[in-house]
Amino acid sequence: MRIKIQQVGIYETLVAQLDRIFRHNRQGSFHTKRRYYEAMKRFCAYLADMYHLQKLSNISGKHLVSYVIYLQDTGKSASTIKTDLAAIRFFHDKMDHKYTLPSNDELGVALERRRFGQDDRTWSTTEFNKMLGKALAIDRYDFILTLYLARYAGLRIHECFRIDTATAERALRENAITIKGKGGKVRTVPINEQIAIAMRKQLERTPRGHKLLVPDKIPTDRAINHLQFFIMKHRDEVRDVDSDRPMTFHGSAIPTQRRSTRSWSTAARVLWTLTLKFPACWAMSGRM
């Protein structure tokens, strides 16, 4: 629903400031940039009417809390609210701001957990293995690695395609991969042997300093589309006989590996590495 803006002059001033930031932004896919931009424009309209705010750099926690309450009162879903908050923080980080914005946990406003529908879209083990077989048949080790990262590490599709050779080499050294995810949050998750084998295989095929899963001269969004089209092409062939679930990349992750925004400390990362390298010692100590 379109908001009728009362303070049009102030709103246009804020949008002009937003446009200056938006024009120089190179982060994110086209869809994400456009989604964040539209969300920030709605926030500008709210700031203009409710606070007569003249500078985006003066956004503070009180504006964020007030806006969340407004969105909840107007019936916006938890997913929409959290995406809008991510957009506000994204642009806020790119300006010379006066105040530090609180995290979602620090807002003091209860945010509902997001719901992704009532149907379980998780691929069965048989479906997953069949899809791997389809990728192997056409020598697409990049698809195999991406599917492993989703299933066993819980990475989003954009997080997979952001990995470069340096990130992969570090992940193999530490047995854990550190990635920047949605909303700019950095997290570290362990990798298993399947991921490590596929990652080494892909590193052999990729020049150092390049994106691990994005061929040269191909935009990242097109590389992502190639994988999505591959899944769409083969999902009817690999789907279980008694299943009518839609198969998408998101469903390739097993439920226990779905995203965690918790970041490992250095000590935890070292502990995990030692556990993998010396399992017998940890078993003897009673910690495994």
Side-chain angles (χ1 to χ4, degrees):
M1 184 177 68
R2 186 174 293 276
I3 301 173
K4 186 175 181 180
I5 302 169
Q6 304 295 326
Q7 302 293 331
V8 178
I10 298 177
Y11 167 72
E12 290 177 346
T13 299
L14 294 176
V15 171
Q17 296 170 33
L18 171 63
D19 286 344
R20 284 197 294 271
I21 301 171
F22 182 74
R23 280 195 298 269
H24 294 90
N25 174 46
R26 297 292 180 270
Q27 283 184 260
S29 66
F30 175 82
H31 173 75
T32 300
K33 287 190 284 190
R34 179 53 55 182
R35 170 69 178 83
Y36 278 14
Y37 177 72
E38 294 300 329
M40 193 64 181
K41 280 179 68 176
R42 291 192 294 272
F43 187 47
C44 287
Y46 180 80
L47 293 172
D49 283 350
M50 297 301 296
Y51 290 96
H52 296 187
L53 192 73
Q54 302 276 351
K55 293 182 179 179
L56 287 178
S57 58
N58 288 336
I59 295 171
S60 68
K62 71 175 183 180
H63 302 124
L64 219 55
V65 171
S66 175
Y67 189 55
V68 168
I69 295 172
Y70 164 76
L71 292 175
Q72 290 176 335
D73 288 345
T74 52
K76 295 296 184 292
S77 68
S79 179
T80 297
I81 293 173
K82 290 184 178 181
T83 301
D84 282 12
L85 289 174
I88 293 167
R89 293 191 180 98
F90 177 82
F91 284 108
H92 183 261
D93 287 344
K94 294 188 175 300
M95 62 182 79
D96 294 327
H97 49 265
K98 187 175 180 181
Y99 304 101
T100 300
L101 297 183
S103 66
N104 287 351
D105 294 334
E106 297 168 338
L107 282 174
V109 179
L111 295 175
E112 293 181 27
R113 292 184 63 84
R114 298 197 228 195
R115 286 186 248 175
F116 297 97
Q118 303 304 316
D119 298 328
D120 182 10
R121 300 191 177 193
T122 307
W123 300 5
S124 69
T125 301
T126 302
E127 290 171 334
F128 182 76
N129 288 335
K130 284 182 178 179
M131 192 66 81
L132 290 178
K134 294 291 183 181
L136 185 61
I138 58 174
D139 200 32
R140 292 306 298 261
Y141 284 92
D142 53 338
F143 288 176
I144 292 173
L145 173 58
T146 310
L147 291 170
Y148 276 149
L149 288 167
R151 191 156 186 91
Y152 300 120
L155 267 62
R156 297 180 178 88
I157 193 166
H158 288 87
E159 293 171 341
C160 294
F161 283 85
R162 191 176 287 146
I163 298 170
D164 56 20
T165 56
T167 302
E169 289 167 355
R170 180 182 176 187
L172 290 172
R173 289 195 304 270
E174 299 182 351
N175 294 303
I177 187 165
T178 300
I179 43 96
K180 181 183 286 188
K182 200 169 182 179
K185 291 183 178 178
V186 177
R187 71 183 194 279
T188 301
V189 291
I191 60 173
N192 62 12
E193 190 61 24
Q194 289 100 317
I195 293 174
I197 292 172
M199 194 170 280
R200 290 189 190 98
K201 193 77 175 178
Q202 189 60 21
L203 277 170
E204 292 173 4
R205 299 170 169 226
T206 309
R208 294 196 72 179
H210 291 236
K211 289 284 188 70
L212 189 65
L213 298 168
V214 182
D216 291 344
K217 299 182 180 179
I218 294 182
T220 300
D221 57 345
R222 189 178 300 173
I224 291 173
N225 288 339
H226 287 170
L227 174 59
Q228 292 171 326
F229 288 144
F230 169 81
I231 293 172
M232 289 173 61
K233 179 181 178 181
H234 295 292
R235 59 188 176 190
D236 289 339
E237 303 169 36
V238 307
R239 187 182 286 117
D240 290 340
V241 177
D242 58 347
S243 171
D244 59 356
R245 75 171 71 87
M247 292 183 67
T248 63
F249 180 83
H250 179 76
S252 61
I254 55 179
T256 54
Q257 295 299 333
R258 293 261 160 80
R259 263 75 65 181
S260 169
T261 57
R262 187 177 305 153
S263 178
W264 282 19
S265 65
T266 302
R269 193 180 295 118
V270 171
L271 205 59
W272 172 258
T273 303
L274 290 173
T275 303
L276 289 178
K277 286 185 176 179
F278 308 106
C281 297
W282 286 90
M284 290 172 61
S285 69
R287 300 195 184 202
M288 288 187 68

